[in-house]
Amino acid sequence: MDNPNHGQTCRRCGLASSTIVRSEPLCQVCFVKYVSTKTVKRLETFAVRHSEPDKERRLLLPLSMGVSSLTLLHILQGHLNRQIERTGRTGFSLHVVFVDCSIIDDAAPTVVSLRTVQERFPGPIYSTVRLEDIFKTQDHGHGETEPNDGSATAKLFALFSALPSPTSRIDVASNILTRLVVDVALSSSCEAVLWGDSTTRLAEKTLSETAKGRGFSLPWQIGDGSTPFGLAFHYPLRDLLKKELVAHASIVSPPLEPLVNISSSPAHQVAVSAKNTTIDFLMKQYFESVEENYPSIVANVVRTATKLETSTSTPERRCRLCKMPITEDLLGIHGWGGDETDAVPSSGAELGHGLCYGCTRSVPVEAIDLLPT
Amino acid sequence: MAPSPCALCHTNRALILRPKNHQKLCKPCFINTFEAEIHHIITANKLFHRGERIAIGASGGKDSTVLASVLKTLNERYDYGVELVLLSIDEGIKGYRDDSLETVKRNAQQYNMPLTILGYSELYGWTMDQVVEQVGKKGNCTYCGVFRRQALDRGAAKLGVQHVVTGHNADDVAETVLMNLLRGDLPRLSRTTSIVTSTPSAVANAESGVPNHTNIKRSKPLKYAYEKEIVLYAHHKQLDYFSTECIYSPEAFRGSARALIKNLERVRPSAILDVVKSGEDMARLIPGSDERCGTGGCATNTTEEAGGCGSSQGRSTGGEMADMEKRLQQNDNAADHGLEVEITTMKTPRKKNAPKKATHASTQVPRKAVNQTMGQCTRCGYLSSQNVCKACTLLEGLNKSRPKASIGQVDAEDDETSTSHLSNTMNQVGISGD
């Protein structure tokens, strides 16, 4: 990938190449073009010709300050600029939301780092929500966060201290994050969310959600298009590997690297002690090693998961935490083939709790009342 | 620290930390719970019926030994009214199978069950050691898996048995779910998550009542049992089992998935069961799955599987992951280049390549999740979606490269077992291969 390859010429323009992309030598210019084209191709639906001049289409980009979402922002800003140059208008307007998770993670980026990003990419409208805002009843979409509400913070702390393991905490946090992003999107009239997940990240997600018992909701978590949340999710970076995005971030000018939050880089996370490992981290480690030598296998995992179809039954209810549609047999961890007890005492109670199988694994009974509504 | 009492009987000292849920149990309560859970699986899925003759696929390893022991116990305790027999396949792996078969022979006496041993050499004319000598260690699991599946069916037919139970445990199933995601094989993911698999002709031939090797029902009563608990059960019941792994190592995808499962279990003990649950749920979301037939227990059709210790595709020359990577990359390149030729006019050398690679793409597109139509192998009559079944195809390759002198040997072996259906057809393969 980033090993310099002197003596080879770029497969596209014939100049000296500096990068190997999926076994093809490319020069820097063509590599940057490759990354951008792969992304923009995914956004055909939002081309200028599909937008009416008087009716603006809004899209929301959740920014984690990691290399992937920053790259997506960088590419989209360039894309919008080119649309203006060519046609005088854009196919959509971009909103960026930053979810501040510093309450549960000391190393998480804060609003301070967001300002640097805003200076570099002045185009979009920016807003910030905090993880604890999930406990506020009002919508989360209106510009800057209101002064911190102590009770929301206390509620989030109470919930997280009742969760049994790092795996559970990360799992619950990411479900809350998704819901916050959806709330912001809906309240700011965005028709879709553009997630920054790379191929590698989607493959990680496929296996970690499988390992967490959420195989049933994969079609909604991996595919492009409509979701049970009432708006579409898109993954424009789904054809690019994490390592390609990392290489790209150092090649573009000025580089994106200084903006990238270190806590989301792999080197930082290796330091985490073994007993605090999470399922998500295991899968991250696994696919970062697979993508080294077998990038196509990573892509194939995602392609395979995308083939899964959403359930044909019409679920009458939603999981209380992840909000995915569930049929009765997906409620709780009892009453399926692998539940090897004859007596199903908690079945009635579980129906009342309203959590899907995967969320029931993450949230112990005593923490259920602490969940946001 | 005071010893903690058993979480179930509250009287005995807890000696066992249950791997599945970290419950602290005493030895009798653990044994009871383990057996009760298997009993629950058998009754909830109506795996057996009274008067049924059931062959236990016995390898002498912990899984099948525990399966035989538990089934004997439960059959007596709950009066299932089934007749249990042991069926062993001798792959012909020196230093592994010959020793483990001695264990099976002792098991047959200990459990008072009749034992039948069927060898690859009498069925196919090749032992695994000979296969490995021929094809090398890489990819040999494919041969073994394909041969074993048919061998169990043939053995069952020979015994007049219509139901074979195997010792696949929860770890195996979870591993296979992850492996098939990594390999991109949804149809197989769906099949391996069912507790019962059967072949279409099982229904068709049921009336005649004569079992043939295409109507054997397979089930996995230990599907939800953790490997660690199986080991604990074997240990505390002091079962006699053979604990050496096959000397030929598993292929890369399975090895990779196995390592992941072990790590997941360490992080969250329920993860093995959770992967199995996900696998069952995903099976229902596979396009064209006749699934959607309700929860869990519905039987899926099975053909020849490369499974067992399995590998994916035919003869692989290098690591399976590297091979698959290469194939996928060719597809991608072909797709990309096809597109690029249209958009930008490429320089001459590229143009030459593009069409050639494009045809590659059309022949090598990843398998789609479509329903296969079942027929019979024209050579041996085994159920197959192809004209010639996988075993016969593999044999053809093997026999082609076998020196002529050794074909004589095959004939000699066949004379001894001239009743064997496949061995006869195998001769034809050998001859037509020449």
Side-chain angles (χ1 to χ4, degrees), chain A residues 206-216 218 279 283 336 338 357-358 361, chain B residues 170-181 189 192-193 223-224 226 257 260-265 268-283:
Chain A
T206 301
L207 261 65
S208 63
E209 291 301 296
T210 300
K212 288 189 275 185
R214 286 208 196 84
F216 78 95
L218 274 178
I279 288 178
M283 293 307 175
W336 68 294
Y357 182 95
R361 284 286 186 222
Chain B
D171 298 52
D172 295 331
V173 176
E175 184 180 299
T176 311
V177 168
L178 293 193
M179 181 179 76
N180 284 317
L181 279 175
L189 184 150
T192 49
T193 53
K223 180 189 167 189
Y224 300 108
Y226 274 38
L260 268 178
I261 290 292
K262 297 290 170 222
N263 286 333
L264 284 171
E265 186 186 16
R268 188 188 257 186
S270 73
I272 292 178
L273 214 47
D274 299 344
V275 171
V276 176
K277 167 73 172 156
S278 282
E280 289 182 7
D281 290 337
M282 280 189 269

Short mmCIF file of all heavy atoms in Angstrom, two decimals, chain A residues 206-216 218 279 283 336 338 357-358 361, chain B residues 170-181 189 192-193 223-224 226 257 260-265 268-283:
data_model
loop_
_atom_site.label_atom_id
_atom_site.label_comp_id
_atom_site.label_asym_id
_atom_site.label_seq_id
_atom_site.Cartn_x
_atom_site.Cartn_y
_atom_site.Cartn_z
N THR A 206 -19.83 -6.08 10.75
CA THR A 206 -20.54 -7.31 10.41
C THR A 206 -20.21 -8.41 11.42
O THR A 206 -21.11 -9.05 11.97
CB THR A 206 -20.13 -7.79 8.99
OG1 THR A 206 -20.44 -6.77 8.06
CG2 THR A 206 -20.86 -9.06 8.61
N LEU A 207 -18.92 -8.60 11.66
CA LEU A 207 -18.56 -9.67 12.58
C LEU A 207 -18.83 -9.33 14.04
O LEU A 207 -19.24 -10.20 14.82
CB LEU A 207 -17.10 -10.09 12.38
CG LEU A 207 -16.99 -11.35 11.52
CD1 LEU A 207 -17.47 -11.10 10.12
CD2 LEU A 207 -15.60 -11.95 11.52
N SER A 208 -18.65 -8.07 14.44
CA SER A 208 -18.88 -7.79 15.86
C SER A 208 -20.38 -7.79 16.18
O SER A 208 -20.78 -8.27 17.23
CB SER A 208 -18.20 -6.48 16.30
OG SER A 208 -18.73 -5.39 15.62
N GLU A 209 -21.21 -7.32 15.28
CA GLU A 209 -22.65 -7.40 15.54
C GLU A 209 -23.11 -8.86 15.54
O GLU A 209 -23.98 -9.25 16.30
CB GLU A 209 -23.43 -6.58 14.50
CG GLU A 209 -23.25 -5.07 14.63
CD GLU A 209 -23.66 -4.52 16.00
OE1 GLU A 209 -24.85 -4.62 16.35
OE2 GLU A 209 -22.79 -4.02 16.74
N THR A 210 -22.51 -9.67 14.67
CA THR A 210 -22.80 -11.11 14.68
C THR A 210 -22.43 -11.69 16.04
O THR A 210 -23.19 -12.45 16.64
CB THR A 210 -22.00 -11.83 13.58
OG1 THR A 210 -22.38 -11.27 12.32
CG2 THR A 210 -22.29 -13.32 13.57
N ALA A 211 -21.26 -11.30 16.53
CA ALA A 211 -20.79 -11.84 17.81
C ALA A 211 -21.62 -11.33 18.98
O ALA A 211 -21.63 -11.92 20.05
CB ALA A 211 -19.32 -11.47 18.02
N LYS A 212 -22.30 -10.21 18.79
CA LYS A 212 -23.12 -9.67 19.87
C LYS A 212 -24.58 -10.11 19.75
O LYS A 212 -25.44 -9.60 20.45
CB LYS A 212 -23.00 -8.14 19.88
CG LYS A 212 -21.63 -7.67 20.38
CD LYS A 212 -21.56 -6.18 20.60
CE LYS A 212 -21.24 -5.48 19.30
NZ LYS A 212 -21.04 -4.03 19.50
N GLY A 213 -24.84 -11.03 18.82
CA GLY A 213 -26.20 -11.57 18.72
C GLY A 213 -27.15 -10.68 17.93
O GLY A 213 -28.36 -10.80 18.06
N ARG A 214 -26.62 -9.78 17.11
CA ARG A 214 -27.49 -8.91 16.34
C ARG A 214 -27.48 -9.23 14.85
O ARG A 214 -27.71 -8.35 14.01
CB ARG A 214 -27.11 -7.44 16.53
CG ARG A 214 -27.53 -6.90 17.88
CD ARG A 214 -27.78 -5.40 17.84
NE ARG A 214 -27.80 -4.87 19.19
CZ ARG A 214 -26.69 -4.52 19.86
NH1 ARG A 214 -25.52 -4.62 19.28
NH2 ARG A 214 -26.79 -4.08 21.09
N GLY A 215 -27.23 -10.49 14.52
CA GLY A 215 -27.25 -10.87 13.11
C GLY A 215 -28.55 -10.45 12.44
O GLY A 215 -28.56 -10.09 11.26
N PHE A 216 -29.65 -10.46 13.20
CA PHE A 216 -30.96 -10.15 12.62
C PHE A 216 -31.04 -8.73 12.07
O PHE A 216 -31.79 -8.46 11.14
CB PHE A 216 -32.06 -10.37 13.67
CG PHE A 216 -32.18 -9.25 14.67
CD1 PHE A 216 -33.11 -8.22 14.47
CD2 PHE A 216 -31.38 -9.22 15.81
CE1 PHE A 216 -33.22 -7.19 15.38
CE2 PHE A 216 -31.49 -8.18 16.73
CZ PHE A 216 -32.41 -7.17 16.52
N LEU A 218 -28.43 -6.91 10.81
CA LEU A 218 -27.34 -6.54 9.90
C LEU A 218 -27.80 -5.83 8.62
O LEU A 218 -27.17 -4.87 8.20
CB LEU A 218 -26.50 -7.76 9.54
CG LEU A 218 -25.36 -8.12 10.50
CD1 LEU A 218 -24.65 -9.37 10.05
CD2 LEU A 218 -24.37 -6.97 10.62
N ILE A 279 -15.38 -6.66 22.28
CA ILE A 279 -15.65 -7.41 21.05
C ILE A 279 -15.35 -6.52 19.83
O ILE A 279 -14.72 -6.97 18.86
CB ILE A 279 -17.11 -7.90 21.03
CG1 ILE A 279 -17.27 -9.04 22.04
CG2 ILE A 279 -17.52 -8.36 19.63
CD1 ILE A 279 -18.67 -9.60 22.17
N MET A 283 -12.47 -7.30 16.77
CA MET A 283 -12.76 -7.34 15.35
C MET A 283 -11.96 -6.29 14.59
O MET A 283 -11.55 -6.50 13.45
CB MET A 283 -14.26 -7.15 15.11
CG MET A 283 -15.09 -8.29 15.63
SD MET A 283 -14.54 -9.88 15.00
CE MET A 283 -15.61 -10.99 15.89
N TRP A 336 -35.50 -19.37 22.52
CA TRP A 336 -35.02 -19.78 21.20
C TRP A 336 -34.32 -21.12 21.35
O TRP A 336 -34.20 -21.63 22.48
CB TRP A 336 -34.08 -18.74 20.59
CG TRP A 336 -32.78 -18.58 21.28
CD1 TRP A 336 -32.58 -18.11 22.55
CD2 TRP A 336 -31.49 -18.92 20.79
NE1 TRP A 336 -31.25 -18.13 22.86
CE2 TRP A 336 -30.54 -18.62 21.79
CE3 TRP A 336 -31.01 -19.45 19.58
CZ2 TRP A 336 -29.17 -18.83 21.64
CZ3 TRP A 336 -29.64 -19.64 19.43
CH2 TRP A 336 -28.73 -19.34 20.45
N GLY A 338 -31.31 -22.11 21.41
CA GLY A 338 -30.15 -22.20 22.27
C GLY A 338 -30.45 -21.97 23.74
O GLY A 338 -29.57 -22.05 24.58
N TYR A 357 -32.44 -9.30 21.46
CA TYR A 357 -31.48 -10.28 21.97
C TYR A 357 -30.13 -9.62 22.28
O TYR A 357 -29.59 -9.75 23.38
CB TYR A 357 -31.30 -11.40 20.94
CG TYR A 357 -30.36 -12.49 21.38
CD1 TYR A 357 -30.84 -13.65 21.97
CD2 TYR A 357 -28.97 -12.37 21.19
CE1 TYR A 357 -29.98 -14.66 22.38
CE2 TYR A 357 -28.10 -13.37 21.60
CZ TYR A 357 -28.61 -14.51 22.18
OH TYR A 357 -27.75 -15.50 22.59
N GLY A 358 -29.59 -8.88 21.31
CA GLY A 358 -28.26 -8.28 21.47
C GLY A 358 -28.22 -7.25 22.60
O GLY A 358 -27.28 -7.22 23.39
N ARG A 361 -28.17 -8.80 26.03
CA ARG A 361 -26.85 -9.24 26.45
C ARG A 361 -26.03 -8.09 27.03
O ARG A 361 -25.21 -8.28 27.92
CB ARG A 361 -26.08 -9.82 25.26
CG ARG A 361 -26.51 -11.21 24.84
CD ARG A 361 -26.02 -12.27 25.81
NE ARG A 361 -26.32 -13.61 25.32
CZ ARG A 361 -26.76 -14.61 26.08
NH1 ARG A 361 -26.95 -14.42 27.38
NH2 ARG A 361 -27.00 -15.79 25.57
N ALA B 170 -21.33 -26.17 20.01
CA ALA B 170 -21.62 -24.75 19.77
C ALA B 170 -20.41 -24.02 19.21
O ALA B 170 -20.54 -23.17 18.32
CB ALA B 170 -22.09 -24.09 21.07
N ASP B 171 -19.23 -24.37 19.71
CA ASP B 171 -18.01 -23.72 19.20
C ASP B 171 -17.84 -24.00 17.71
O ASP B 171 -17.46 -23.12 16.94
CB ASP B 171 -16.77 -24.23 19.95
CG ASP B 171 -16.81 -23.92 21.44
OD1 ASP B 171 -17.83 -24.25 22.07
OD2 ASP B 171 -15.84 -23.34 21.95
N ASP B 172 -18.10 -25.27 17.32
CA ASP B 172 -17.98 -25.64 15.90
C ASP B 172 -18.95 -24.83 15.05
O ASP B 172 -18.59 -24.32 13.98
CB ASP B 172 -18.31 -27.13 15.69
CG ASP B 172 -17.31 -28.04 16.38
OD1 ASP B 172 -16.16 -27.62 16.53
OD2 ASP B 172 -17.71 -29.16 16.75
N VAL B 173 -20.20 -24.73 15.52
CA VAL B 173 -21.22 -24.03 14.74
C VAL B 173 -20.87 -22.54 14.64
O VAL B 173 -20.92 -21.94 13.56
CB VAL B 173 -22.62 -24.23 15.34
CG1 VAL B 173 -23.66 -23.42 14.57
CG2 VAL B 173 -23.00 -25.71 15.33
N ALA B 174 -20.47 -21.94 15.78
CA ALA B 174 -20.12 -20.52 15.78
C ALA B 174 -18.94 -20.26 14.85
O ALA B 174 -18.94 -19.31 14.05
CB ALA B 174 -19.78 -20.07 17.20
N GLU B 175 -17.96 -21.15 14.95
CA GLU B 175 -16.79 -21.04 14.08
C GLU B 175 -17.19 -21.09 12.60
O GLU B 175 -16.71 -20.33 11.78
CB GLU B 175 -15.92 -22.25 14.44
CG GLU B 175 -14.60 -22.38 13.79
CD GLU B 175 -13.94 -23.66 14.31
OE1 GLU B 175 -13.69 -23.75 15.53
OE2 GLU B 175 -13.69 -24.57 13.50
N THR B 176 -18.11 -21.99 12.29
CA THR B 176 -18.54 -22.13 10.90
C THR B 176 -19.33 -20.91 10.43
O THR B 176 -19.22 -20.51 9.27
CB THR B 176 -19.38 -23.40 10.74
OG1 THR B 176 -18.69 -24.48 11.36
CG2 THR B 176 -19.60 -23.74 9.28
N VAL B 177 -20.10 -20.30 11.34
CA VAL B 177 -20.83 -19.09 10.97
C VAL B 177 -19.83 -17.99 10.58
O VAL B 177 -19.93 -17.40 9.50
CB VAL B 177 -21.73 -18.60 12.13
CG1 VAL B 177 -22.25 -17.19 11.86
CG2 VAL B 177 -22.89 -19.56 12.35
N LEU B 178 -18.84 -17.76 11.44
CA LEU B 178 -17.85 -16.72 11.14
C LEU B 178 -17.05 -17.09 9.88
O LEU B 178 -16.81 -16.24 9.02
CB LEU B 178 -16.88 -16.53 12.30
CG LEU B 178 -17.45 -15.95 13.60
CD1 LEU B 178 -16.32 -15.53 14.53
CD2 LEU B 178 -18.35 -14.74 13.33
N MET B 179 -16.69 -18.37 9.77
CA MET B 179 -15.90 -18.79 8.62
C MET B 179 -16.66 -18.54 7.31
O MET B 179 -16.08 -18.08 6.33
CB MET B 179 -15.56 -20.26 8.75
CG MET B 179 -14.72 -20.78 7.61
SD MET B 179 -14.31 -22.51 7.80
CE MET B 179 -15.84 -23.27 7.35
N ASN B 180 -17.95 -18.83 7.31
CA ASN B 180 -18.70 -18.65 6.08
C ASN B 180 -18.97 -17.18 5.78
O ASN B 180 -19.13 -16.80 4.61
CB ASN B 180 -19.99 -19.46 6.12
CG ASN B 180 -19.72 -20.93 5.88
OD1 ASN B 180 -18.94 -21.29 5.01
ND2 ASN B 180 -20.33 -21.79 6.68
N LEU B 181 -18.98 -16.33 6.80
CA LEU B 181 -19.03 -14.89 6.54
C LEU B 181 -17.72 -14.45 5.89
O LEU B 181 -17.71 -13.68 4.94
CB LEU B 181 -19.26 -14.11 7.84
CG LEU B 181 -20.70 -14.04 8.35
CD1 LEU B 181 -20.74 -13.34 9.71
CD2 LEU B 181 -21.59 -13.29 7.36
N LEU B 189 -23.65 -21.10 5.24
CA LEU B 189 -23.91 -20.54 6.56
C LEU B 189 -25.29 -20.98 7.03
O LEU B 189 -25.49 -21.42 8.15
CB LEU B 189 -23.84 -19.00 6.51
CG LEU B 189 -24.00 -18.25 7.84
CD1 LEU B 189 -23.21 -16.96 7.80
CD2 LEU B 189 -25.43 -17.93 8.16
N THR B 192 -25.34 -24.83 7.96
CA THR B 192 -24.66 -25.28 9.16
C THR B 192 -25.33 -24.80 10.44
O THR B 192 -25.02 -25.28 11.50
CB THR B 192 -23.19 -24.83 9.18
OG1 THR B 192 -23.16 -23.44 8.89
CG2 THR B 192 -22.37 -25.57 8.17
N THR B 193 -26.23 -23.83 10.33
CA THR B 193 -26.89 -23.39 11.55
C THR B 193 -28.11 -24.24 11.89
O THR B 193 -28.61 -24.16 13.01
CB THR B 193 -27.34 -21.91 11.46
OG1 THR B 193 -28.11 -21.75 10.28
CG2 THR B 193 -26.16 -20.98 11.44
N LYS B 223 -25.36 -29.12 19.51
CA LYS B 223 -25.22 -27.85 18.81
C LYS B 223 -25.07 -26.65 19.74
O LYS B 223 -24.42 -25.67 19.41
CB LYS B 223 -26.44 -27.65 17.90
CG LYS B 223 -26.41 -26.36 17.12
CD LYS B 223 -27.73 -26.10 16.41
CE LYS B 223 -27.77 -24.66 15.91
NZ LYS B 223 -29.09 -24.29 15.41
N TYR B 224 -25.71 -26.68 20.89
CA TYR B 224 -25.64 -25.54 21.80
C TYR B 224 -24.73 -25.79 23.00
O TYR B 224 -24.71 -25.01 23.95
CB TYR B 224 -27.05 -25.17 22.29
CG TYR B 224 -27.99 -24.79 21.17
CD1 TYR B 224 -29.03 -25.64 20.80
CD2 TYR B 224 -27.85 -23.58 20.49
CE1 TYR B 224 -29.90 -25.30 19.77
CE2 TYR B 224 -28.71 -23.25 19.46
CZ TYR B 224 -29.74 -24.10 19.11
OH TYR B 224 -30.60 -23.76 18.10
N TYR B 226 -21.19 -25.98 24.88
CA TYR B 226 -19.86 -25.39 24.75
C TYR B 226 -18.80 -26.47 24.78
O TYR B 226 -18.88 -27.41 25.57
CB TYR B 226 -19.62 -24.41 25.91
CG TYR B 226 -20.14 -23.02 25.66
CD1 TYR B 226 -21.35 -22.82 24.99
CD2 TYR B 226 -19.43 -21.91 26.10
CE1 TYR B 226 -21.82 -21.54 24.77
CE2 TYR B 226 -19.90 -20.62 25.88
CZ TYR B 226 -21.09 -20.44 25.21
OH TYR B 226 -21.55 -19.18 24.99
N ALA B 257 -11.15 -18.32 12.00
CA ALA B 257 -12.43 -18.22 12.69
C ALA B 257 -12.35 -18.85 14.08
O ALA B 257 -12.92 -18.34 15.04
CB ALA B 257 -13.53 -18.89 11.87
N LEU B 260 -10.73 -16.48 16.45
CA LEU B 260 -11.66 -15.40 16.80
C LEU B 260 -12.66 -15.87 17.86
O LEU B 260 -12.93 -15.16 18.83
CB LEU B 260 -12.44 -14.95 15.56
CG LEU B 260 -11.85 -13.81 14.75
CD1 LEU B 260 -12.72 -13.52 13.54
CD2 LEU B 260 -11.73 -12.55 15.60
N ILE B 261 -13.21 -17.07 17.67
CA ILE B 261 -14.20 -17.58 18.62
C ILE B 261 -13.60 -17.72 20.02
O ILE B 261 -14.23 -17.35 21.01
CB ILE B 261 -14.75 -18.95 18.12
CG1 ILE B 261 -15.63 -18.75 16.89
CG2 ILE B 261 -15.51 -19.67 19.20
CD1 ILE B 261 -16.92 -18.02 17.17
N LYS B 262 -12.37 -18.23 20.09
CA LYS B 262 -11.72 -18.38 21.39
C LYS B 262 -11.53 -17.02 22.06
O LYS B 262 -11.78 -16.86 23.25
CB LYS B 262 -10.36 -19.08 21.24
CG LYS B 262 -10.44 -20.49 20.70
CD LYS B 262 -11.06 -21.47 21.71
CE LYS B 262 -11.37 -22.82 21.09
NZ LYS B 262 -12.66 -23.38 21.50
N ASN B 263 -11.10 -16.03 21.28
CA ASN B 263 -10.92 -14.69 21.84
C ASN B 263 -12.25 -14.08 22.27
O ASN B 263 -12.34 -13.44 23.31
CB ASN B 263 -10.26 -13.77 20.82
CG ASN B 263 -8.78 -14.08 20.65
OD1 ASN B 263 -8.15 -14.59 21.59
ND2 ASN B 263 -8.23 -13.81 19.47
N LEU B 264 -13.28 -14.27 21.47
CA LEU B 264 -14.59 -13.74 21.81
C LEU B 264 -15.09 -14.35 23.11
O LEU B 264 -15.63 -13.65 23.98
CB LEU B 264 -15.60 -14.06 20.70
CG LEU B 264 -15.52 -13.24 19.43
CD1 LEU B 264 -16.44 -13.80 18.36
CD2 LEU B 264 -15.91 -11.78 19.72
N GLU B 265 -14.89 -15.65 23.25
CA GLU B 265 -15.36 -16.32 24.46
C GLU B 265 -14.69 -15.74 25.70
O GLU B 265 -15.31 -15.59 26.75
CB GLU B 265 -15.08 -17.83 24.37
CG GLU B 265 -15.67 -18.61 25.54
CD GLU B 265 -15.28 -20.09 25.53
OE1 GLU B 265 -14.32 -20.46 24.82
OE2 GLU B 265 -15.92 -20.87 26.25
N ARG B 268 -16.43 -12.26 26.27
CA ARG B 268 -17.81 -12.38 26.71
C ARG B 268 -18.24 -13.83 26.54
O ARG B 268 -18.46 -14.28 25.40
CB ARG B 268 -18.71 -11.46 25.87
CG ARG B 268 -20.12 -11.35 26.39
CD ARG B 268 -21.00 -10.60 25.40
NE ARG B 268 -21.27 -9.23 25.82
CZ ARG B 268 -22.11 -8.42 25.17
NH1 ARG B 268 -22.73 -8.85 24.08
NH2 ARG B 268 -22.32 -7.20 25.60
N PRO B 269 -18.36 -14.57 27.65
CA PRO B 269 -18.63 -16.01 27.54
C PRO B 269 -19.86 -16.37 26.71
O PRO B 269 -19.89 -17.40 26.05
CB PRO B 269 -18.82 -16.44 29.00
CG PRO B 269 -18.07 -15.43 29.79
CD PRO B 269 -18.19 -14.14 29.04
N SER B 270 -20.86 -15.51 26.72
CA SER B 270 -22.07 -15.84 25.95
C SER B 270 -21.85 -15.69 24.44
O SER B 270 -22.70 -16.10 23.65
CB SER B 270 -23.24 -14.95 26.38
OG SER B 270 -23.06 -13.63 25.90
N ALA B 271 -20.71 -15.13 24.04
CA ALA B 271 -20.52 -14.79 22.62
C ALA B 271 -20.67 -15.98 21.69
O ALA B 271 -21.17 -15.84 20.58
CB ALA B 271 -19.15 -14.12 22.42
N ILE B 272 -20.25 -17.17 22.12
CA ILE B 272 -20.36 -18.35 21.25
C ILE B 272 -21.83 -18.59 20.92
O ILE B 272 -22.21 -18.76 19.76
CB ILE B 272 -19.73 -19.59 21.93
CG1 ILE B 272 -18.22 -19.39 22.03
CG2 ILE B 272 -20.08 -20.86 21.17
CD1 ILE B 272 -17.50 -20.52 22.73
N LEU B 273 -22.64 -18.57 21.97
CA LEU B 273 -24.07 -18.78 21.78
C LEU B 273 -24.68 -17.63 20.95
O LEU B 273 -25.56 -17.84 20.13
CB LEU B 273 -24.74 -18.84 23.17
CG LEU B 273 -25.92 -19.76 23.37
CD1 LEU B 273 -25.66 -21.13 22.82
CD2 LEU B 273 -26.26 -19.84 24.86
N ASP B 274 -24.17 -16.43 21.19
CA ASP B 274 -24.68 -15.26 20.48
C ASP B 274 -24.38 -15.34 18.98
O ASP B 274 -25.20 -14.93 18.15
CB ASP B 274 -24.09 -13.97 21.08
CG ASP B 274 -24.46 -13.80 22.55
OD1 ASP B 274 -25.40 -14.49 23.01
OD2 ASP B 274 -23.81 -12.99 23.25
N VAL B 275 -23.20 -15.88 18.64
CA VAL B 275 -22.88 -16.05 17.21
C VAL B 275 -23.82 -17.08 16.60
O VAL B 275 -24.32 -16.90 15.49
CB VAL B 275 -21.40 -16.49 17.02
CG1 VAL B 275 -21.14 -16.88 15.57
CG2 VAL B 275 -20.45 -15.39 17.45
N VAL B 276 -24.08 -18.17 17.34
CA VAL B 276 -25.01 -19.19 16.84
C VAL B 276 -26.39 -18.57 16.61
O VAL B 276 -27.02 -18.79 15.57
CB VAL B 276 -25.10 -20.38 17.82
CG1 VAL B 276 -26.14 -21.39 17.35
CG2 VAL B 276 -23.75 -21.06 17.97
N LYS B 277 -26.82 -17.78 17.58
CA LYS B 277 -28.12 -17.10 17.46
C LYS B 277 -28.13 -16.20 16.22
O LYS B 277 -29.07 -16.23 15.42
CB LYS B 277 -28.36 -16.27 18.73
CG LYS B 277 -29.49 -15.27 18.66
CD LYS B 277 -30.86 -15.93 18.68
CE LYS B 277 -31.96 -14.89 18.82
NZ LYS B 277 -33.24 -15.41 18.28
N SER B 278 -27.09 -15.40 16.04
CA SER B 278 -27.00 -14.54 14.86
C SER B 278 -27.06 -15.36 13.58
O SER B 278 -27.74 -14.99 12.63
CB SER B 278 -25.69 -13.74 14.88
OG SER B 278 -25.78 -12.65 15.77
N GLY B 279 -26.33 -16.47 13.58
CA GLY B 279 -26.31 -17.35 12.40
C GLY B 279 -27.71 -17.84 12.06
O GLY B 279 -28.12 -17.83 10.90
N GLU B 280 -28.44 -18.27 13.07
CA GLU B 280 -29.81 -18.76 12.84
C GLU B 280 -30.69 -17.64 12.29
O GLU B 280 -31.49 -17.85 11.38
CB GLU B 280 -30.42 -19.29 14.15
CG GLU B 280 -29.81 -20.60 14.61
CD GLU B 280 -30.47 -21.13 15.89
OE1 GLU B 280 -31.48 -20.55 16.34
OE2 GLU B 280 -29.95 -22.12 16.44
N ASP B 281 -30.55 -16.45 12.86
CA ASP B 281 -31.36 -15.32 12.40
C ASP B 281 -30.98 -14.90 10.98
O ASP B 281 -31.84 -14.59 10.15
CB ASP B 281 -31.21 -14.13 13.36
CG ASP B 281 -31.88 -14.39 14.70
OD1 ASP B 281 -32.80 -15.24 14.75
OD2 ASP B 281 -31.50 -13.74 15.69
N MET B 282 -29.69 -14.90 10.70
CA MET B 282 -29.24 -14.51 9.36
C MET B 282 -29.70 -15.50 8.30
O MET B 282 -30.01 -15.11 7.18
CB MET B 282 -27.71 -14.39 9.32
CG MET B 282 -27.20 -13.11 9.90
SD MET B 282 -25.43 -12.91 9.60
CE MET B 282 -24.76 -13.66 11.03
N ALA B 283 -29.75 -16.78 8.69
CA ALA B 283 -30.19 -17.81 7.73
C ALA B 283 -31.56 -17.45 7.16
O ALA B 283 -31.88 -17.77 6.02
CB ALA B 283 -30.23 -19.17 8.40
#
